[in-house]
């Protein structure tokens, strides 16, 4: 399951301009030429986001990123070659600088996010860093957006232009808001649940090696980690106040780990300490615990992963332009 945070926001909040009189036709066309290039980049960006949300194919995802870079380079070159409008250089120069910064973000920040994706599940630190890189990229994009928004508004004011709502820009902005909202929520749930995975992995490793001491250490750590995960998940309210399926699937998985560590795993530890004198009853009991763990872990993990995929599919629709 992939996660991705929102890309560049719509410059000037998805607004276009119309001239208030004949004399303002040229500045309106000038503005709209810049916005057309921004719109082309934005659509490529949303295709990349959509692919990130709905695919686990890293090659296809990166292909969308490279396509986005190609479009950004073309838009940057086109805007950079535009002359200033009359003696007003501010809007064009700010847009050129913004597009250059977007190119850096798509080439460097997004690449760093995608490179870390391959190892993000290795540790909780990697996963936190993965999400942090996304947040840093998002913050940079917002700064870029704000700078162009201000320049565009100054241009409009200077040339006495009026705002008119752009339905297409509004649609794209709404899509990005959905992406940001969904990922912010999903990151919280995912990190809370993910904190138990390292201790759980150590528990199974110790079981496979029949190391009673390591098993007990992992069991105690798993109990502590499930307490923290349970507290974190309890603090997360249902998405939009009504959809708790993803959060509850995470809670169910954590609840199982907590109960197993406190009960069955404690009995397994005792049995492991006298494994050399196992009776048939001991072996049956021990194997029964393993069977319980495997069946319930598979069932609840599958339900959790499916809930996450359903959550993204429901609230991040496939982007079709």
């Amino acid at each position: 399951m992939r996660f991705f945070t929102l890309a560049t926001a719509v410059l000037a909040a998805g607004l276009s301009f119309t001239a208030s009189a004949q004399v303002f036709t040229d500045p309106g066309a000038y503005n709209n030429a810049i916005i057309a290039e921004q719109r082309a980049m934005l659509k490529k960006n949303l295709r990349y986001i959509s692919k990130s949300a709905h695919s686990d194919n890293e090659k296809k995802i990166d292909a969308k990123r490279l396509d986005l870079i190609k479009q950004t380079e073309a838009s940057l070159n086109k805007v950079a070659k535009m002359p200033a409008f009359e003696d007003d250089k501010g809007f064009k120069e700010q847009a050129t600088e913004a597009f250059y910064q977007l190119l850096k973000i798509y080439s460097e920040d997004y690449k760093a996010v995608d490179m870390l994706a391959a190892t993000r599940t290795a540790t909780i630190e990697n996963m936190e860093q993965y999400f942090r890189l996304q947040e840093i990229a998002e913050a940079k994009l917002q700064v870029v957006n704000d700078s162009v928004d201000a320049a565009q508004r100054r241009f409009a004011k200077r040339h006495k232009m009026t705002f008119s709502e752009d339905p297409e820009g509004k649609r794209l902005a709404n899509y990005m808001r959905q992406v940001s909202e969904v990922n912010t929520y999903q990151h919280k749930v995912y990190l809370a649940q993910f904190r138990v995975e390292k201790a759980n992995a150590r528990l199974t490793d110790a079981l496979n090696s029949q190391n009673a001491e390591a098993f007990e250490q992992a069991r105690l750590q798993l109990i502590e980690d499930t307490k923290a995960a349970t507290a974190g998940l309890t603090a997360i309210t249902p998405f939009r106040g009504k959809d708790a399926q993803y959060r509850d699937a995470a809670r169910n998985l954590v609840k199982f780990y907590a109960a197993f560590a406190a009960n069955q795993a404690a009995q397994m530890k005792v049995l492991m300490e006298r494994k050399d004198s196992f009776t048939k009853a001991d072996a049956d009991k021990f194997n029964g615990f393993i069977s319980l763990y495997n069946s319930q872990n598979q069932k609840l993990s599958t339900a959790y992963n499916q809930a996450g995929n359903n959550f993204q599919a429901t609230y991040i629709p496939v982007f079709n332009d």
Side-chain angles (χ1 to χ4, degrees):
M1 182 168 55
R2 289 264 312 190
F3 302 93
F4 213 83
T5 316
L6 97 119
T8 179
V10 177
L11 303 185
L15 297 171
S16 61
F17 292 109
T18 54
S20 58
Q22 289 288 333
V23 69
F24 300 128
T25 299
D26 287 343
Y30 187 87
N31 169 86
N32 291 340
I34 294 177
I35 294 303
E37 294 307 316
Q38 180 271 333
R39 180 69 48 77
M41 289 188 297
L42 180 58
K43 287 183 176 180
K44 294 287 188 181
N45 203 351
L46 293 181
R47 291 192 195 106
Y48 169 59
I49 291 173
S50 181
K51 180 62 70 175
S52 297
H54 296 282
S55 174
D56 289 321
N57 190 315
E58 302 293 342
K59 289 184 178 180
K60 289 184 178 180
I61 292 169
D62 199 54
K64 292 295 184 183
R65 183 183 69 85
L66 296 176
D67 194 31
L68 169 59
I69 290 173
K70 183 178 179 181
Q71 177 62 58
T72 306
E73 289 174 338
S75 294
L76 171 61
N77 289 334
K78 190 174 293 186
V79 172
K81 292 176 181 178
M82 289 175 65
F85 182 76
E86 297 177 350
D87 62 341
D88 190 344
K89 299 180 180 179
F91 184 27
K92 179 254 185 180
E93 290 183 347
Q94 187 58 61
T96 301
E97 174 61 22
F99 290 3
Y100 173 70
Q101 293 301 325
L102 291 176
L103 181 61
K104 288 184 63 178
I105 293 168
Y106 300 149
S107 301
E108 299 173 9
D109 294 71
Y110 277 21
K111 183 177 181 180
V113 169
D114 281 353
M115 288 180 65
L116 187 56
T119 60
R120 66 186 184 277
T121 59
T123 64
I124 183 64
E125 291 78 17
N126 278 20
M127 184 58 72
E128 288 176 330
Q129 178 66 4
Y130 176 66
F131 290 153
R132 191 177 302 116
L133 287 177
Q134 292 182 347
E135 292 165 2
I136 290 172
E138 181 178 345
K140 289 180 179 180
L141 290 165
Q142 189 59 55
V143 170
V144 171
N145 172 64
D146 291 344
S147 68
V148 177
D149 180 54
Q152 189 179 34
R153 291 178 185 277
R154 287 193 298 269
F155 182 83
K157 182 177 181 179
R158 182 172 183 180
H159 298 284
K160 299 179 182 179
M161 300 165 68
T162 57
F163 287 107
S164 65
E165 186 175 68
D166 175 9
E168 176 69 0
K170 184 177 181 180
R171 181 180 76 88
L172 298 178
N174 286 338
Y175 183 92
M176 287 189 296
R177 278 192 290 270
Q178 283 182 266
V179 172
S180 180
E181 180 188 21
V182 168
N183 280 293
T184 296
Y185 186 88
Q186 196 161 29
H187 291 176
K188 291 178 182 178
V189 173
Y190 191 90
L191 280 176
Q193 188 281 328
F194 188 72
R195 291 185 182 278
V196 308
E197 292 299 332
K198 189 171 183 179
N200 185 57
R202 287 204 300 266
L203 188 79
T204 56
D205 287 345
L207 174 62
N208 291 333
S209 64
Q210 292 293 294
N211 186 326
E213 182 179 356
F215 186 87
E216 177 65 2
Q217 290 176 351
R219 185 185 76 84
L220 295 175
Q221 185 63 55
L222 183 57
I223 290 174
E224 291 304 309
D225 289 350
T226 54
K227 288 179 181 178
T230 298
L233 290 167
T234 299
I236 299 173
T237 58
F239 185 68
R240 295 178 180 172
K242 58 182 181 181
D243 190 342
Q245 291 186 25
Y246 179 51
R247 181 206 63 184
D248 288 351
R251 290 173 70 174
N252 290 340
L253 183 57
V254 170
K255 183 178 179 180
F256 165 69
Y257 287 150
F260 188 87
N263 298 303
Q264 289 87 354
Q267 298 178 60
M268 292 174 72
K269 179 257 184 181
V270 174
L271 290 170
M272 289 174 70
E273 289 177 334
R274 54 185 177 88
K275 62 183 178 181
D276 293 336
S277 59
F278 257 26
T279 65
K280 184 178 184 305
D282 289 336
D284 289 344
K285 187 176 183 180
F286 193 82
N287 289 334
F289 290 147
I290 295 175
S291 179
L292 171 68
Y293 175 86
N294 288 338
S295 62
Q296 287 299 103
N297 182 54
Q298 181 179 5
K299 176 184 174 181
L300 294 171
S301 294
T302 298
Y304 168 63
N305 289 330
Q306 187 61 53
N309 291 333
N310 291 343
F311 183 73
Q312 283 194 325
T314 299
Y315 296 106
I316 303 181
V318 174
F319 179 73
N320 294 313
D321 58 351

